[in-house]
Amino acid sequence: MSRYVFFLLIVFLAGCGYTPIAHHTKEVFEDRIFVEVKIDVRDPKNSVTLKDEVSKAIFKKFHTAISDKEDSNAVIEIILKNISFSPLAENTIGFSTFYQCKTEIEFKYTNKATQKTRIFTKEGYYNFALGNISVITDSIRMEVINKAVLNTLDSFISQIGIDIS
């Protein structure tokens, strides 16, 4: 019975012209994109990691090649505006053990074919627990910032897809 319901759902979605937002966004990015990350002097390590993570995420989601600026169809300039950590919960002795990492990123998207530039400022969040320790170490900090940035990237990708559809 569940196969029939699944089949009917697929037929309905195909018949109504539904296409995922990633499909529209892939059309915008086409086959070659250049990602430029402006290095934040306050946080240079994360800025370098940010470029790698964003490049990997774009490749994974759209199978789009990351290319040189001259050979690309589109350019995404990324500026890490702000990173903040907020305590969300404390243990019985008053140490914070649960936090939220919030990132604010400015995305400047330029389509070379149309010469249009769009600027979006997006926020991403990632909640995490420290467990038995009450100190955010450098490795934990880098990991949660990357996860919050990927959350921000998803928001940017959705915005691009909405703008063009």
Side-chain angles (χ1 to χ4, degrees):
M1 182 67 179
S2 65
R3 287 184 186 180
Y4 297 114
V5 172
F6 179 72
F7 178 73
L8 287 174
L9 180 65
I10 295 298
V11 168
F12 173 75
L13 289 176
C16 72
Y18 170 78
T19 54
I21 199 87
H23 176 75
H24 293 294
T25 309
K26 186 175 180 174
E27 289 175 356
V28 172
F29 291 155
E30 296 180 19
D31 60 344
R32 294 180 316 274
I33 192 162
F34 176 74
V35 178
E36 181 177 6
V37 176
K38 299 290 186 177
I39 302 296
D40 186 356
V41 293
R42 296 171 301 188
D43 206 1
K45 234 189 325 187
N46 278 339
S47 295
V48 172
T49 306
L50 171 64
K51 178 173 180 160
D52 293 341
E53 291 296 321
V54 168
S55 297
K56 279 194 281 187
I58 287 173
F59 179 76
K60 277 184 188 176
K61 290 179 188 283
F62 307 112
H63 305 289
T64 300
I66 305 298
S67 66
D68 295 332
K69 195 170 191 175
E70 297 77 31
D71 298 331
S72 65
N73 297 327
V75 175
I76 298 176
E77 185 179 309
I78 299 169
I79 302 168
L80 189 57
K81 293 288 209 180
N82 191 23
I83 300 170
S84 62
F85 290 87
S86 303
L88 298 177
E90 298 175 349
N91 62 13
T92 55
I93 44 181
F95 289 110
S96 296
T97 56
F98 199 73
Y99 286 88
Q100 180 179 72
C101 175
K102 178 180 166 185
T103 57
E104 181 183 347
I105 299 177
E106 181 180 291
F107 294 93
K108 183 178 178 182
Y109 167 74
T110 304
N111 184 325
K112 286 183 153 184
T114 62
Q115 293 299 314
K116 284 187 178 181
T117 299
R118 297 288 315 244
I119 298 174
F120 304 99
T121 301
K122 295 290 179 185
E123 292 181 348
Y125 304 93
Y126 185 73
N127 298 333
F128 63 101
L130 291 177
N132 295 332
I133 61 173
S134 60
V135 178
I136 301 173
T137 63
D138 280 346
S139 61
I140 292 172
R141 184 175 185 277
M142 292 266 304
E143 179 184 341
V144 298
I145 288 173
N146 286 338
K147 289 182 179 180
V149 164
L150 291 178
N151 181 288
T152 310
L153 179 66
D154 288 341
S155 177
F156 165 70
I157 289 169
S158 297
Q159 184 70 48
I160 289 286
I162 290 168
D163 274 8
I164 59 126
S165 48

